[in-house]
Amino acid sequence: MLVLGIDTSCDETAAAVLSDGRSVLSSVVASQDIHAAYGGVVPEYASRAHMTAIVPVVRQALERAGVGWQDLGAVAVTNRPGLVGCLLVGVSFAKAVSFSLGIPIVGVDHIEGHVFSLRLASPDLALPAVCLVASGGHTELVLVEKWGAYRTLGRTRDDAAGEAFDKVGKLLGLPYPAGPVIERLAAGGDASAFRFPRAMMEHGNPDFSFSGVKTAVRLKVNELGGVPQGEQLADLLASFQEAVVDVLVQKTVRAAERHSVPTVSIGGGVAANETLRVRLAEEAARAGLEAVFPPKALCTDNGAVIAAVGDSLLGRGVRDDLSLSASASRSGPSVAS
Ligand code: KG4
Ligand code: ZN
């Protein structure tokens, strides 16, 4: 069966066509550059941009897959969590597709989508696995017992990891999203030049906190008399990146050890970070764990993982109808489209 997956939860308009829950026939992602100057996503601008992009993005996904509307067997759409005005664009469009083609619609949890990058990367992987989901809005350690059965082992108490990258970027005058920019500027920097705090590292604590490291960077910038340049900026960013990566890696490996889980994986935009991948691979190997790294294009927001969750839900008999609504949180009040 071909499933059209749609994600408009934040600032990417994404659509993909997935065949039989495994083969990504196409995946189109239109990133909104309108937010770059604001240091973060402006929700109203984002939902307007989704409205402009949704039709061409879905059309392109069908074209690249070499299929027509009539070939689609179902439509899966992110309906939680995210910016409600943004989610509603995708949900409304998916409903129109479902109604006009007479095919099932299923609403998908965005975080589960990030976890499913693991399934697309390694369809035959034996579970359980511990998956670190680190994005702009979420940082969670998820125990994947089986597909569809999850336990949240820990989560951030304040900022998400990606949010820390974006806020530090804003502080330094870098464009949004700052994660990839910081990674590039940090390359060649000395990660031990500055010592930034690693929060909540006491043994057995699975939760995260990234607001302290952001504040520590701000204090360091003040102490340096302003935003550093050149080598010193590279050192500052490498040291900041190291502090965030250190916490993410250690907590992921410890969680797998504590729950006697043999496999670790990562998903979400921050999982595109090469330092994080290298460090997690090293620490996992040291602990005798297998580490699975989905391709970066499946880690950042995309429609393929949403289609994969949708395919799995439909396979288990779960489906929605045209009353499907959107919700800013995972289980909070929803808004009808
Ligand atoms: O999963 P995602 O595409 O969207 C959300 O669900 O939030 O994640 C976007 C986040 C942003 O905060 C961005 O700065 C961060 O992921 N990010 C990175 C990298 N690429 C994206 N952070 C660190 N290093 C990267 N290479
Ligand atoms: Zn995401």
Side-chain angles (χ1 to χ4, degrees), residues 27-313:
S27 181
V28 177
V29 180
S31 297
Q32 306 174 355
D33 50 14
I34 39 174
H35 310 289
Y38 298 95
V41 177
V42 184
E44 185 56 36
Y45 288 171
S47 43
R48 281 188 226 166
H50 284 305
M51 285 199 274
T52 315
I54 187 79
V55 173
V57 163
V58 173
R59 278 218 176 107
Q60 220 177 84
L62 294 175
E63 264 167 37
R64 286 194 196 166
V67 303
W69 293 103
Q70 69 288 347
D71 299 316
L72 297 175
V75 55
V77 60
T78 303
N79 75 325
R80 66 192 187 283
L83 299 167
V84 167
C86 295
L87 289 166
L88 285 173
V89 177
V91 168
S92 306
F93 187 84
K95 283 185 189 177
V97 171
S98 165
F99 179 70
S100 55
L101 299 176
I103 59 174
I105 181 171
V106 63
V108 171
D109 181 309
H110 184 81
I111 309 303
E112 187 173 7
H114 281 310
V115 171
F116 257 67
S117 59
L118 167 61
R119 174 147 160 176
L120 278 180
S122 276
D124 300 317
L125 182 81
L127 294 176
V130 167
C131 183
L132 167 71
V133 176
S135 70
H138 300 270
T139 298
E140 287 190 13
L141 276 170
V142 181
L143 174 58
V144 186
E145 288 166 333
K146 54 185 184 175
W147 297 113
Y150 314 104
R151 202 147 40 107
T152 303
L153 302 176
R155 56 161 57 95
T156 184
R157 300 280 182 86
D158 41 54
D159 293 346
E163 194 177 355
F165 273 91
D166 296 333
K167 285 181 172 170
V168 163
K170 186 174 183 181
L171 170 78
L172 299 173
L174 303 175
Y176 173 89
V181 183
I182 290 180
E183 177 171 22
R184 192 162 25 84
L185 293 174
D190 175 4
S192 61
F194 301 98
R195 176 79 195 167
F196 291 123
R198 279 87 164 139
M200 305 183 105
M201 291 304 280
E202 61 283 8
H203 211 76
N205 187 343
D207 288 332
F208 301 88
S209 166
F210 293 108
S211 62
V213 65
K214 170 196 68 187
T215 307
V217 172
R218 184 164 48 77
L219 294 175
K220 183 55 70 181
V221 168
N222 291 346
E223 191 187 308
L224 294 172
V227 176
Q229 303 294 318
E231 220 170 278
Q232 200 176 35
L233 178 64
D235 289 350
L236 184 84
L237 292 176
S239 304
F240 158 73
Q241 178 174 261
E242 184 71 12
V244 174
V245 163
D246 212 18
V247 173
L248 293 175
V249 167
Q250 286 199 46
K251 287 192 180 254
T252 305
V253 169
R254 278 189 206 164
E257 287 178 327
R258 197 172 329 116
H259 294 273
S260 304
V261 170
T263 308
V264 292
S265 181
I266 49 176
V270 180
N273 186 283
E274 199 53 39
T275 303
L276 173 60
R277 287 173 173 249
V278 170
R279 287 285 313 286
L280 184 58
E282 284 169 3
E283 291 303 317
R286 199 164 294 149
L289 303 169
E290 184 188 358
V292 179
F293 297 101
K296 293 179 184 179
L298 288 179
C299 289
T300 46
D301 287 352
N302 68 90
V305 293
I306 303 306
V309 177
D311 186 274
S312 169
L313 288 169

